[in-house]
Amino acid sequence: MSSSEPRRTALDALHRSLGATMTDFAGWDMPLRYGSERDEHNAVRTKAGLFDLSHMGEITVTGPQAAALLNFALVGNIASVGVGRARYTMICQADGGILDDLIVYRLGATEFMVVANASNAQVVLDALTERAAGFDAEVRDDRDAYALIAVQGPESPGILASLTDADLDGLKYYAGLPGTVAGVPALIARTGYTGEDGFELFVAPSDAETLWQALTKAGEGVGLIPCGLSCRDTLRLEAGMPLYGHELSRELTPFDAGLGRVVKFEKDGDFVGREALEQAAERAAAATPRVLVGLVAEGRRVPRAGYAVVADGEVIGEVTSGAPSPTLGRPIAMAYVDAAHATPGTAGVGVDIRGSHEPYEVVALPFYKRQK
């Protein structure tokens, strides 16, 4: 959008009525928190939280060669995704740099929905449109066609089950099915960005408030509360999930980010970035220059993105995300560090916080993993 006015979701008035602190995020006015970030975080870990994610970018790809186009445009093997399933993948530049990380849902034999991060939705749309040349497929901007509401946390299956007759028990992680929730037509997806079980519900913007209110009412007895972007960030950080602009960027390939597994060289045909990514894979196999690790503070000072990671007075890496962890009770961070200091338990590692080298423990990611 050319105007400086942030976009507002279909739930904007409702957020304000709930007393949300609003913030500009990727050109959208979004709820940062409604009350206590810690309470919202803990609700998702122990009960349930309700999120408005309508800023995410939905792009529909249809046509006889939709699967072939996505196989060419993205690094994953999208043609092998079954109808009703979803896949985490990435779209890269020709030089292998990451343009965005995505979830692709296969809605039908020739219909897919690509969900991009809000900050990159236009970039992804433009890239897919450009890469569609020569394919019998259509790329459609559906950002205005959907509102997206997520209910996340251990109580979320029960809450949703009380509002739908869709087969939630049969819905696997990273799958989606069309259904009706509280009388509202929805694509029900078992995906999320919190490290907990949960669902993301794609609905028409005109139905968003009805659905939000129904979920709120259904969750009253089990501790569901509305949650903002702030706790979404601490939840995903504890779960070791990357955030574009922090752990992922155009300067990094999936192999640099430790996510080379999403690149499927064995799929049929060429794809954008293949040659550069083959070289990146070879470099990674020969010697990993920096590795993404977890850091847990021994003290109370909170590391932030961009802070230097140090050992023996030398800079050995950089923090990409940092925050207090409500679950661990200590500050945590993700950071790219030299491979020599990446082994969990490596001694003598610190973070330079305003000139003071604060001690940190190197740990394996994720910091938190839910009990199945």
Side-chain angles (χ1 to χ4, degrees), residues 44-129:
V44 176
R45 284 277 177 263
T46 61
K47 296 167 186 166
L50 192 57
F51 296 85
D52 178 10
L53 305 179
S54 302
H55 60 309
M56 300 295 281
E58 296 88 3
I59 301 161
T60 302
V61 180
T62 57
Q65 291 189 299
L69 161 59
L70 290 170
N71 259 19
F72 170 72
L74 311 179
V75 301
N77 188 351
I78 309 306
S80 69
V81 178
V83 173
R85 298 308 303 265
R87 185 155 296 168
Y88 176 79
T89 188
M90 294 183 185
I91 182 167
C92 289
Q93 303 176 135
D95 67 1
I98 303 165
L99 282 174
D100 201 13
D101 62 335
L102 312 163
I103 295 180
V104 180
Y105 297 90
R106 189 166 200 162
L107 306 180
T110 60
E111 184 180 5
F112 297 82
M113 182 167 67
V114 177
V115 181
N117 286 297
S119 56
N120 295 325
Q122 190 63 47
V123 168
V124 174
L125 178 68
D126 292 345
L128 287 175
T129 302

Side-chain angles (χ1 to χ4, degrees), residues 7-17 22 29-30 52:
R7 298 182 68 179
R8 296 184 172 194
T9 78
L11 294 166
D12 184 78
L14 191 147
H15 298 316
R16 291 168 197 278
S17 76
M22 306 297 286
D29 218 8
M30 297 297 293
D52 178 10

Side-chain angles (χ1 to χ4, degrees), residues 201-267:
L201 307 168
F202 296 86
V203 298
S206 57
D207 289 330
E209 193 164 332
T210 300
L211 181 57
W212 180 281
Q213 299 286 25
L215 287 162
T216 300
K217 192 163 171 33
E220 271 173 2
V222 291
L224 173 102
I225 61 171
C227 294
L229 291 179
S230 185
C231 83
R232 182 170 151 89
D233 192 49
T234 53
L235 289 160
R236 71 90 195 168
L237 177 55
E238 286 184 353
M241 294 175 169
L243 175 62
Y244 196 90
H246 289 256
E247 288 71 42
L248 309 175
S249 72
R250 294 184 187 207
E251 284 67 53
L252 297 170
T253 72
F255 294 94
D256 296 325
L259 290 165
R261 63 181 180 276
V262 306
V263 182
K264 303 300 181 188
F265 293 119
E266 70 277 9
K267 65 180 174 177

